[in-house]
Amino acid sequence: MSKTEGVSGSAGNKAPFPYELGSLWSHRCTWTDLLVPVSLDAGRDALDLSDGWVNRWTATWRYAGDEVTGPVRHLGQVPVAGRGPMRGFTWRRDQRHRPGLGPLLATGRLHAFESLEEDQLLVAMDFAGDLVEVLSQPLCIRFRTAEKWRKHTPDFFAVTKTGTWLIDVRPRPLIKPEDLQAFAAAEEVAVACGWHYTVVAEWRPQVRSTLGAMYGRRRPTRDVLGVQAGLLAHAAEGVTFGELAPLRRTGRWPGLICCTCCGTAGSGSTFLFR
């Protein structure tokens, strides 16, 4: 599969549409193939990558509850087990981003995300089927540009069956020139450690809707109240939701609920279960 990058890495520029990325066959497609690539050339030009940078640049990670700092050249030797996120986070009603905890089938645990974009990435990686482990806010990189020292914390560290990934998530319209420098620095660190790196800035068309529809069926639903057979039989007879709703009050269909917006029964034939 050949892919042509017709995407500008300049801050604020939108990727051209349609994308000339070639065809994707489902049996060969990985989660990174679903992304529209971002060029980091503009940010890389601003980095100080002179001889010995892997000794000057440092990385800080949390291991067994303590923060450990060392040169970048040692980062690839740090065991994955025992690492923790560099920082935690909380959420409140009036904040602009949408953090939360998402379940991953690959790990059997809840994993933190700080935005809906990060949540979408977790869904895509879990759907790909080769995810082994993932950690949010995995480390803090201290790097040097031509002008000053800076720090950057990538969003995710992911171990897959095909390699290890350092990942940043930022919607394309929000990427600024200083972000490109930080992303380019993270890529250099990843390469020095033998890892892969990518920026999740934009998904190919239909990726969100397709993954959303399929991911919603990742677990089999259960008819806890034992009403499915009866509801399907009434639906086959043409009985509407509005006709079934009054029976809820009699206790015949305890799992049937009314419209969440107005509390009344609808006229369609869609059944909802608690």
Side-chain angles (χ1 to χ4, degrees):
M1 291 182 297
S2 62
K3 297 187 294 183
T4 303
E5 291 192 17
V7 183
S8 172
S10 301
N13 288 352
K14 295 183 178 180
F17 184 83
Y19 311 116
E20 296 295 335
L21 296 179
S23 299
L24 290 176
W25 294 95
S26 59
H27 67 291
R28 299 176 56 188
C29 180
T30 66
W31 66 271
T32 53
D33 292 321
L34 304 178
L35 293 170
V36 178
V38 175
S39 173
L40 302 179
D41 292 342
R44 187 176 295 104
D45 292 341
L47 300 179
D48 178 10
L49 294 172
S50 55
D51 291 343
W53 70 269
V54 291
N55 295 316
R56 296 190 301 272
W57 292 19
T58 61
T60 301
W61 58 93
R62 188 173 295 276
Y63 184 78
D66 297 323
E67 288 193 2
V68 181
T69 300
V72 166
R73 64 185 178 90
H74 293 323
L75 181 59
Q77 304 171 12
V78 179
V80 176
R83 289 192 188 185
M86 286 299 298
R87 57 181 174 83
F89 65 89
T90 59
W91 55 85
R92 59 185 186 277
R93 290 182 300 173
D94 58 344
Q95 66 188 36
R96 298 181 62 182
H97 61 287
R98 294 282 301 277
L101 296 172
L104 295 184
L105 297 180
T107 64
R109 306 194 312 275
L110 294 174
H111 292 266
F113 57 86
E114 291 190 301
S115 67
L116 295 180
E117 295 293 333
E118 292 188 4
D119 184 28
Q120 180 66 53
L121 169 63
L122 292 177
V123 169
M125 289 195 297
D126 201 21
F127 179 79
D130 66 345
L131 184 64
V132 177
E133 186 58 82
V134 63
L135 175 66
S136 60
Q137 313 293 328
L139 55 94
C140 179
I141 301 169
R142 184 173 182 265
F143 65 97
R144 176 78 183 180
T145 68
E147 300 177 352
K148 60 181 179 180
W149 285 97
R150 292 186 54 195
K151 291 183 178 181
H152 173 61
T153 301
D155 292 310
F156 290 103
F157 177 84
V159 179
T160 71
K161 297 177 182 177
T162 57
T164 302
W165 289 84
L166 198 60
I167 306 168
D168 275 300
V169 182
R170 185 69 55 86
R172 188 179 298 274
L174 301 183
I175 297 179
K176 302 176 181 179
E178 54 267 29
D179 295 325
L180 291 176
Q181 295 178 8
F183 297 161
E187 183 179 45
E188 294 295 334
V189 170
V191 172
C193 295
W195 305 336
H196 306 284
Y197 177 80
T198 191
V199 177
V200 179
E202 184 177 358
W203 298 93
R204 293 169 63 111
Q206 288 82 49
V207 168
R208 289 178 179 272
S209 59
T210 301
L211 288 183
M214 301 184 71
Y215 201 68
R217 300 174 180 269
R218 66 192 186 279
R219 295 188 182 94
T221 57
R222 296 185 301 162
D223 182 16
V224 179
L225 299 176
V227 299
Q228 181 177 355
L231 289 175
L232 291 177
H234 280 80
E237 297 171 359
V239 180
T240 67
F241 182 79
E243 294 169 334
L244 280 174
L247 299 178
R248 174 177 177 265
R249 300 186 181 93
T250 67
R252 183 174 179 182
W253 305 110
L256 195 64
I257 64 175
C258 296
C259 177
T260 56
C261 62
C262 61
T264 61
S267 59
S269 59
T270 300
F271 306 116
L272 305 179
F273 298 89
R274 290 191 188 280

